[in-house]
Amino acid sequence: MPNEWVTGMTEPLLEARAATVTYGYGGAAFNAVNDANVYVQPGEAVGVVGESGSGKTTLARVLVGLQPPTKGNVLLEGKPIFGATAQRKFPRSERWKVQMVFQDPYSSLNPRQRAWEAVAEAVSAWQGLRGNQAKTEALRLLRSMGISPEQAEQFPHRLSGGQRQRVSVARALAPKPKILIADEPTSSIDQSAQAQLLNLLSQLQRESGLAILFISHDLGLVRYLTSRVYVMKRGDVVEQGDTVRVFNKPENPYTRLLINSIPGHSSLAETTLPYES
């Protein structure tokens, strides 16, 4: 159980409890994630930050059921559902509740499918809709992500990076999940597209109550989107807590180093996105 978890709080929606992922054997073995305790409550936006190689993406893959932990478990709505002592495969009956948006939207979309077809395929798989009903729902999801009907007719290579990423988000929303895990969703798109995507995610989180776990090396974006944050270094969670507190009064030297490396870091507490007016 997370150290700061307080009696009387809402049951965590998704939780990694003492999760460890070890690669290699013998003297070459190393922990990509080491004894991590991370949780997200219903409707909450939580960030996980750290440099490349800190274990952020491995932790995200554990939480979404793509990477079995060597030790520890993943709990969904309070029940051990995936892990070293639980099931070794995330059950399909529960998978709809946890969906992921990957870093590279181009590689995660089928180049032979139009945007609406990619989303309609997910709608059919998870909602059981077919034909025009699936297309109508796909177009609705795409509109909610700022994709017009004209853009929905395009193949991925005809869309911008930001548009492709918003298509990926729309597809991830097809099962009507309870939590969205976004792994570096802005790293391959330009700043204006980043702002649009983050504003859409923030609006979605506020209006629908969707929980979001936002994985990023960009602390400025995490500061804008989240209310709590975990800081990772070489597989360890070295600091965690309220985002404003962590940014204003970091306790760990590594966290201070990360924050001090952000241009204009001294004004982060008063800003939203660093490039918004």
Side-chain angles (χ1 to χ4, degrees):
M1 190 66 67
N3 292 334
E4 79 276 29
W5 207 72
V6 179
T7 301
M9 287 176 63
T10 304
E11 182 87 69
L13 171 61
L14 185 66
E15 180 183 359
R17 188 175 293 181
T20 297
V21 177
T22 304
Y23 293 124
Y25 299 93
F30 72 97
N31 289 343
V33 175
N34 185 44
D35 200 30
N37 291 306
V38 172
Y39 73 96
V40 183
Q41 293 182 30
E44 188 180 28
V46 176
V48 178
V49 301
E51 297 174 299
S52 296
S54 63
K56 307 185 304 296
T57 291
T58 302
L59 177 61
R61 289 174 60 83
V62 168
L63 286 166
V64 82
L66 296 175
Q67 171 66 57
T70 310
K71 297 178 182 179
N73 289 299
V74 173
L75 286 74
L76 182 62
E77 298 178 321
K79 299 177 181 178
I81 197 165
F82 177 63
T85 59
Q87 301 180 66
R88 298 296 287 173
K89 186 175 181 180
F90 207 106
R92 178 178 170 81
S93 61
E94 301 291 333
R95 185 176 290 277
W96 65 270
K97 298 176 183 177
V98 185
Q99 293 294 306
M100 190 165 184
V101 177
F102 296 91
Q103 180 173 345
D104 182 1
Y106 192 76
S107 63
S108 65
L109 293 173
N110 186 336
R112 298 183 179 181
Q113 286 184 320
R114 301 177 191 274
W116 74 263
E117 291 172 325
V119 180
E121 180 180 61
V123 168
S124 295
W126 291 106
Q127 297 188 35
L129 301 179
R130 298 289 185 270
N132 287 336
Q133 287 184 317
K135 182 175 182 178
T136 298
E137 174 64 6
L139 292 173
R140 185 193 69 79
L141 288 167
L142 287 165
R143 280 197 303 274
S144 74
M145 286 291 105
I147 298 296
S148 69
E150 293 74 23
Q151 293 165 340
E153 292 289 342
Q154 301 301 318
F155 291 98
H157 73 276
R158 298 294 301 273
L159 299 172
S160 69
Q163 289 168 343
R164 286 195 292 266
Q165 193 60 289
R166 283 182 277 132
V167 172
S168 295
V169 173
R171 187 176 61 176
L173 295 175
K176 300 182 179 179
K178 295 187 176 183
I179 181 169
L180 192 67
I181 298 178
D183 182 19
E184 300 277 11
T186 62
S187 63
S188 61
I189 58 181
D190 62 35
Q191 285 193 336
S192 62
Q194 286 180 16
Q196 187 174 18
L197 177 62
L198 290 171
N199 286 331
L200 285 168
L201 287 175
S202 182
Q203 180 180 357
L204 181 68
Q205 191 259 336
R206 290 193 311 269
E207 295 180 354
S208 71
L210 178 73
I212 297 177
L213 184 69
F214 187 69
I215 314 288
S216 182
H217 66 277
D218 190 326
L219 274 72
L221 302 186
V222 169
R223 171 65 183 87
Y224 164 74
L225 188 63
T226 69
S227 59
R228 277 194 312 112
V229 64
Y230 294 88
V231 181
M232 294 191 69
K233 178 185 180 183
R234 297 178 183 174
D236 292 315
V237 175
V238 297
E239 187 158 0
Q240 56 186 293
D242 178 86
T243 303
V244 173
R245 196 279 302 165
V246 170
F247 272 76
N248 290 345
K249 295 181 179 180
E251 297 174 357
N252 188 277
Y254 176 71
T255 308
R256 289 196 293 270
L257 180 65
L258 286 179
I259 292 173
N260 288 337
S261 69
I262 305 172
H265 70 89
S266 61
S267 62
L268 275 176
E270 291 76 35
T271 60
T272 54
L273 290 176
Y275 42 79
E276 279 192 328
S277 56

